[in-house]
Amino acid sequence: MMPGLSLDIYDQGERNALADAMEVMVRAFDPAYGEAWTLSQLSGVMLMPGTWLTVARLDAAPLGFALVRSVLDECELLLLAVDPSWRGKGIGETLLRDSMLTARRRGITSMNLEVRATNNAIRLYEKNGFEYVHRRPGYYRGKNGQLHDALSFRLDMLI
């Protein structure tokens, strides 16, 4: 993990954590792809049981976040984002691995995710053991109406 980086996990929609996640989301998600969430969407998901938000910070400044929702023994990585100026420094991988570890601690045996078919993060997911499941044509609708395919991945985690 990057020196000085802290990871804070929130099981409830703590206002400052949501604001930090939104601060990163605005910078991290290109509007051309239609992947960013609104504060209302983020707040709503955080009210659901089994949901947790992990915020990566350096000197209190938010650099990235991961949002995971679990049901029974499965979970879905809903969002993973890193501020573009901090990409390539291991923050995304730290957030992903911490999410996997937290899931295992909670008795979760598999993690699912969907990602835009052209997203560079696919390499990160494959490197960490996620396997391709299927393609969803036209899953994301970009700002200009253009549709983008999503790929579904799954990781079976032994406890």
Side-chain angles (χ1 to χ4, degrees), residues 4-154:
L5 187 71
S6 67
L7 297 178
D8 301 310
I9 299 175
Y10 302 90
D11 288 308
Q12 299 296 319
E14 202 272 329
R15 178 177 280 170
N16 291 336
L18 295 178
D20 285 349
M22 288 306 299
E23 184 180 325
V24 172
M25 187 138 24
V26 167
R27 293 190 304 263
F29 289 101
D30 185 334
Y33 299 111
E35 300 159 320
W37 289 21
T38 64
L39 178 58
S40 176
Q41 290 170 314
L42 183 59
S43 299
V45 168
M46 284 301 300
L47 295 174
M48 295 177 169
T51 302
W52 72 92
L53 173 69
T54 306
V55 179
R57 294 185 178 92
L58 184 63
D59 298 328
L63 305 183
F65 72 91
L67 178 66
V68 181
R69 185 183 73 202
S70 65
V71 176
L72 300 175
D73 64 345
E74 292 190 344
C75 72
E76 182 177 6
L77 177 64
L78 298 170
L79 292 168
L80 178 70
V82 175
D83 184 298
S85 62
W86 287 91
R87 289 182 183 156
K89 296 176 179 16
I91 296 166
E93 186 159 21
T94 298
L95 284 162
L96 177 61
R97 288 187 179 184
D98 185 76
S99 296
M100 293 161 52
L101 181 61
T102 300
R104 285 185 181 105
R105 286 184 185 141
R106 294 178 181 209
I108 294 167
T109 59
S110 66
M111 182 178 278
N112 300 285
L113 64 87
E114 290 188 338
V115 61
R116 181 176 26 86
T118 57
N119 192 319
N120 291 333
I122 292 169
R123 289 191 299 271
L124 171 67
Y125 301 134
E126 290 176 336
K127 175 184 171 188
N128 283 277
F130 283 83
E131 296 181 354
Y132 170 80
V133 176
H134 64 11
R135 177 181 291 265
R136 289 185 183 218
Y139 184 78
Y140 296 106
R141 180 178 298 279
K143 191 173 185 177
N144 64 359
Q146 185 177 2
L147 298 177
H148 303 276
D149 292 355
L151 303 181
S152 295
F153 285 84
R154 179 180 178 93

